[in-house]
C-alpha cells in the first residue's frame, strides 16, 4: 500500500471513529459544522456531497476544532471537495496534532517521514509517530516498531 493511500485510510478511520452512531434522524438545526461535515462526507441523513463536507469542515477547522482540522487535512490529501494539496494537508494535520489528536499526529509523522507536503525529516517523523503511539493509536504503534 502506498504511503498516500495509508494516510487517506487513516483519515477515514479517524472520521468513522469520531462519528456518533445515534441521532441521524434528528433535526440538523444546532449541529456543529464538524458534525455537518461528517454527515455530508458520509451521506448520513443528507445526500453525500464532498464539496459541502469540505465547506463545513473548513468552517469548523478555522474555528479551532481539532477533529475538523484533521478531516480538512484528509480532504486536502485525498482531493475530496477540493483539488489535492499536500501543503495544505500538512498545515491542517499540524494544527490538529497540536491539539493532541492521535490520528493527526500519526499522519503528520508520515508526512515528515516521506516528505509529503514538507521536506523529509526523520527526527520529527519519529517524534510525532511516537506521540501518537503513546496515545495507543495502533497504526502508530506498528509503524514505530518498524522505524
Amino acid at each position: 500500500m502506498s504511503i498516500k493511500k495509508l494516510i487517506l485510510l487513516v483519515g477515514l478511520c479517524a472520521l468513522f471513529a469520531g462519528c456518533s452512531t445515534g441521532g441521524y434522524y434528528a433535526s440538523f438545526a444546532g449541529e456543529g459544522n464538524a458534525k455537518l461535515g461528517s454527515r455530508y462526507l458520509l451521506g448520513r441523513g443528507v445526500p453525500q456531497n464532498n464539496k459541502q463536507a469540505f465547506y463545513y469542515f473548513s468552517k469548523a477547522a478555522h474555528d479551532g476544532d481539532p477533529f475538523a482540522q484533521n478531516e480538512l487535512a484528509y480532504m486536502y490529501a485525498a482531493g475530496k471537495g477540493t483539488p489535492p494539496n499536500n501543503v495544505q494537508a500538512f498545515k491542517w494535520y499540524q494544527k490538529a496534532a497540536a491539539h493532541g489528536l492521535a490520528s493527526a499526529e500519526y499522519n503528520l509523522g508520515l508526512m515528515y517521514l516521506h516528505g509529503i507536503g514538507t521536506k523529509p525529516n526523520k527526527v520529527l517523523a519519529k517524534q510525532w509517530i511516537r506521540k501518537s503511539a503513546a496515545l495507543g493509536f495502533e497504526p502508530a504503534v506498528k509503524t514505530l516498531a518498524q522505524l
Side-chain angles (χ1 to χ4, degrees):
M1 176 179 299
S2 75
I3 190 63
K4 184 148 179 135
K5 286 181 183 176
L6 182 61
I7 288 173
L8 297 179
L9 178 62
V10 171
L12 277 177
C13 290
L15 174 64
F16 292 132
C19 288
S20 157
T21 57
Y24 286 121
Y25 303 106
S27 168
F28 298 157
E31 284 191 355
N33 288 319
K35 180 107 179 197
L36 286 170
S38 296
R39 287 182 181 277
Y40 279 105
L41 186 61
L42 299 173
R44 301 286 184 158
V46 296
Q48 195 282 333
N49 185 318
N50 289 334
K51 287 186 182 205
Q52 283 295 102
F54 181 85
Y55 170 79
Y56 285 113
F57 282 136
S58 183
K59 285 182 73 159
H62 282 94
D63 287 341
D65 181 319
F67 171 77
Q69 291 168 344
N70 189 61
E71 293 310 315
L72 188 61
Y74 158 72
M75 295 194 79
Y76 274 119
K80 288 190 174 279
T82 189
N85 186 326
N86 288 329
V87 173
Q88 284 295 312
F90 178 81
K91 169 190 159 184
W92 287 106
Y93 278 134
Q94 278 183 309
K95 289 179 181 283
H99 290 281
L101 192 61
S103 60
E105 291 173 344
Y106 177 65
N107 281 332
L108 185 59
L110 291 178
M111 293 185 90
Y112 274 121
L113 186 64
H114 298 283
I116 300 170
T118 188
K119 291 182 180 180
N121 186 324
K122 291 193 182 207
V123 172
L124 288 174
K126 285 183 183 180
Q127 286 176 351
W128 284 108
I129 293 170
R130 191 174 291 121
K131 281 183 173 196
S132 179
L135 293 172
F137 193 67
E138 191 60 33
V141 172
K142 289 180 181 178
T143 300
L144 196 56
Q146 298 172 358
L147 292 179

